[in-house]
Amino acid sequence: MKKILMTLALVFASQMAFCQTIDEVLEKVKALPNAQYQEISKEMMAFALAQINDEPTKKAMQKVESMTMGMVSSPTEETRAAFIDIVSSLKNRYNKVTEEQEEGQKMFVFSDTDDAGKPLGLVIGVSENEGCQIIYFKGNVGLEDLEALGNL
């Protein structure tokens, strides 16, 4: 019985090691070559909101509490592959909404919800030949806001 419990504990611990939070993923993206990292404060969000004229985008942005971006400029193939691996690791913790691949581009969208299904945020990751980006919209941002936020 002890062996079974120890085995279950080991399996659980190893699974938890693969479940990364968005903060851990952003830290890994920050460590990639040619990476930039930007946290957008609530004040900057309010300033940006005042500049938006498109109503659906404005409505979606009003739900965003904060925004964090990680960008990699002019990535090598190796860096792009590392970025894709880092971002795709979110699938173990967040709800994968979509994963699309076109020539020279790969896009991931994940949603974060609480146990009751209330939206807590959206993560968008895009890998292209010119660069890679991951954006975390924190707040009561749901899938219905995805298209409007894509207009930014």
Side-chain angles (χ1 to χ4, degrees), residues 111-150:
S111 68
D112 187 12
T113 58
D114 64 13
D115 293 336
K118 178 186 173 208
L120 300 174
L122 280 178
V123 180
I124 301 172
V126 179
S127 172
E128 300 176 304
N129 292 331
E130 304 83 39
C132 303
Q133 276 192 351
I134 182 169
I135 305 171
Y136 177 48
F137 297 98
K138 183 180 179 182
N140 187 19
V141 185
L143 300 177
E144 67 278 0
D145 303 309
L146 185 58
E147 186 176 339
L149 292 171

Side-chain angles (χ1 to χ4, degrees), residues 80-100:
R80 281 187 71 211
F83 176 86
I84 290 169
D85 287 344
I86 291 167
V87 174
S88 64
S89 72
L90 289 169
K91 69 183 175 206
N92 297 318
R93 185 176 182 115
Y94 298 93
N95 305 313
K96 184 176 2 175
V97 176
T98 187
E99 180 178 328
E100 297 177 14

